[in-house]
Amino acid sequence: MQGNTRQALDVLQTGMAHQEGSGHARLQLAMAEVHTANSNWAAVVDHSWPVAQQQSSFGSSPLTTQLQLHASLTCVRALLTQGKDEQALQLAQQAVKNSHNLLSREELTPAKQQALLEATACLAGVLHATGDSEGAAAQCQTALTLVHDDDASGGVFSKSAVAAALKQAAALRLAQGQLSEAAGLFGQSCAAAEQCQEVGSNTSLRPPVWQQQVAADVMLGAAQTAAAQHSWDKAEELLSKALNLAEQLHGGDSQNPQVGVVLGLLGHVYARSKRITLAEGLHRQAVKLLRMDPSASPSETLPVHSSLAAAGAWRYSQLLTALPRRDKEASAWKQVAAAHSSIELESTLGPLDILKGGKDNSPGIVVDLLMLRALPCW
C-alpha cells in the first residue's frame, strides 16, 4: 500500500509541474485525496488549503467554484481531525459567505444552491464539533430548508450532498437527546445515501470514495441512534452495514481507521448487551487500527482526533474493568484515555465500573466518521 501511495504521489507531482490554473488545482486535490486515504491530515491541508484560498488566480467559472468548495470542505475536515478548530471554523464560514455571494450574482441555479447546502452543512458540523449547539442548530435548520425546497421542486441536488446535510441535522438531534427526530432524519439520510451509490449518480468533482464515506457515516449515525434507544439488535445490524461500507473505502483497505472506529462502536454495543468476551476482541482490534498502545508516547500522531482516541481508550478500560484479572490493563488504558482527553471522561462516558452495574447518567458522545471525531452531547 505504501509503495502504491508513493507512486501515485510521484505521478501527480509530475503532472502538477506541467499544469496551471484549474488543471493544477485538480491535481492538488487529487494529492489531498491520496493523503486522506493514508490519514496524513497535515498533508491533506497542505494540498487543499491553497486551492481553497486562491480561487481567483485562475478566473471565475462554475468549475472554479466547485474546485474551491471541494478544497474548502476537504481542508475543513482535515483541520477538524487535527484539532485545529479555529482555522476550520474560519474556512467553513468563508465557504458559506462565498456561497451566499455566488447566489447574489447573475441567475440562480441548482448548482449554486447546492454549493450553499454543502457549505452550510459543513459549518453546522464545525459548530457542533466545537460545542456551539445554538449555532449548529441554526445552520442545520438552513440546510433542512434547502433540502426541503429542493425536494419540492423535483430534487436536483446530488444525493450525497443531501445525505450529508440530513445526517448533520440528525447528529445534532441525537446529541440533544431527541431520539425520535434523530431516527427519522437518519432514515431519510440513509435513503439518500443509498441512491448516491447508484452508477452515474456522482455529478460533482468529489471522488467516488466520498459517496462511500458519507454512506458509512450515515449508517454509523443511525446505529448510534438505535443504541441510544437500547435497540441493541438493530444497532448491531446497522453497525454491520457500516462496517461493510468502511471496509470498502480506499480500495478495500480493511485496515483503515474508519474500520477501527466502527469496530469500537460494535464492541460498545456488544458490551452493553452483555456479550463481554466478544466485545473485548472487537475493542482490541479497534485500538490497534487507531494505532493506540499504552506503551506509545502520548505525543505520537494518531489518525483520528484526540477526542475519539480518548473515548476508545476509556471504553476499552470500562470493558477490561468488567473482566477478571484485567485490572492492570484497565488502568493502562485509563491512562491512555486521560492523556488524550481535555474533558472529564467519567462524566461524559460513565464510570469505569459501568459494565459491572455502576450508575450512569452520562450524556455520551456522537461519533462522526468523516471528521474522525467525538462530537459532544447536551
Side-chain angles (χ1 to χ4, degrees):
M1 182 70 181
Q2 197 62 36
N4 292 340
T5 297
R6 186 69 263 164
Q7 187 176 19
L9 292 172
D10 287 344
V11 170
L12 290 168
Q13 192 72 51
T14 301
M16 284 171 58
H18 302 283
Q19 291 284 343
E20 296 180 353
S22 61
H24 187 273
R26 295 186 78 154
L27 290 176
Q28 284 268 50
L29 292 177
M31 290 192 77
E33 291 302 329
V34 173
H35 286 301
T36 295
N38 288 284
S39 306
N40 187 346
W41 302 114
V44 173
V45 172
D46 288 343
H47 289 288
S48 57
W49 180 270
V51 182
Q53 295 298 313
Q54 298 178 7
Q55 71 275 15
S56 59
S57 62
F58 45 90
S60 179
S61 69
L63 175 60
T64 299
T65 301
Q66 283 195 59
L67 285 169
Q68 184 205 2
L69 180 64
H70 178 190
S72 296
L73 303 189
T74 299
C75 194
V76 166
R77 174 189 176 188
L79 288 167
L80 282 173
T81 304
Q82 294 179 90
K84 298 182 178 180
D85 296 353
E86 188 173 336
Q87 286 176 268
L89 179 59
Q90 290 174 354
L91 190 55
Q93 289 172 330
Q94 185 62 48
V96 171
K97 181 180 178 182
N98 289 344
S99 298
H100 277 297
N101 289 341
L102 198 64
L103 285 171
S104 66
R105 282 188 262 138
E106 302 173 357
E107 63 176 322
L108 184 67
T109 65
K112 292 178 181 179
Q113 290 178 300
Q114 181 177 310
L116 178 59
L117 173 66
E118 293 189 75
T120 300
C122 175
L123 178 55
V126 175
L127 292 169
H128 187 168
T130 55
D132 184 351
S133 60
E134 290 186 9
Q139 296 301 322
C140 283
Q141 188 55 54
T142 299
L144 288 175
T145 300
L146 287 165
V147 169
H148 294 156
D149 289 349
D150 175 66
D151 190 52
S153 38
V156 296
F157 289 168
S158 80
K159 295 304 178 184
S160 59
V162 170
L166 289 170
K167 175 261 163 185
Q168 207 60 65
L172 182 63
R173 299 295 196 281
L174 174 57
Q176 294 170 328
Q178 300 174 29
L179 302 186
S180 179
E181 286 188 49
L185 286 168
F186 272 123
Q188 295 175 49
S189 185
C190 284
E194 239 179 75
Q195 291 180 58
C196 81
Q197 295 292 300
E198 296 172 2
V199 177
S201 63
N202 186 19
T203 57
S204 72
L205 291 176
R206 285 183 173 273
V209 71
W210 170 250
Q211 296 177 330
Q212 297 169 343
Q213 290 168 340
V214 169
D217 189 37
V218 165
M219 198 65 69
L220 194 73
Q224 290 177 85
T225 304
Q229 296 171 317
H230 295 180
S231 299
W232 304 119
D233 289 343
K234 183 177 180 181
E236 182 181 348
E237 178 189 346
L238 292 169
L239 282 168
S240 295
K241 292 179 180 179
L243 181 61
N244 182 53
L245 289 165
E247 288 176 336
Q248 294 173 34
L249 297 176
H250 312 307
D253 176 19
S254 61
Q255 301 301 300
N256 67 65
Q258 286 89 347
V259 171
V261 172
V262 180
L263 286 175
L265 279 171
L266 192 55
H268 176 62
V269 166
Y270 276 23
R272 297 307 296 267
S273 52
K274 312 296 184 186
R275 290 172 286 178
I276 302 293
T277 304
L278 288 172
E280 196 278 333
L282 291 169
H283 273 295
R284 183 165 12 96
Q285 181 64 8
V287 294
K288 179 182 177 182
L289 291 178
L290 299 185
R291 305 174 200 167
M292 295 169 63
D293 188 328
S295 63
S297 167
S299 61
E300 189 170 322
T301 301
L302 298 177
V304 299
H305 186 262
S306 58
S307 62
L308 204 50
W314 185 263
R315 282 178 168 168
Y316 194 20
S317 183
Q318 287 176 325
L319 180 75
L320 292 168
T321 300
L323 292 171
R325 297 182 296 280
R326 304 292 291 271
D327 293 351
K328 187 174 180 181
E329 290 172 82
S331 177
W333 282 104
K334 176 186 176 182
Q335 291 176 26
V336 172
H340 289 290
S341 181
S342 59
I343 61 171
E344 171 53 53
L345 288 167
E346 183 166 339
S347 60
T348 302
L349 296 172
L352 287 178
D353 64 353
I354 189 171
L355 298 176
K356 296 170 74 173
K359 289 189 66 175
D360 179 28
N361 297 311
S362 59
I365 55 173
V366 176
V367 174
D368 190 292
L369 202 58
L370 293 176
M371 303 180 206
L372 290 171
R373 182 165 173 150
L375 308 184
C377 292
W378 298 280

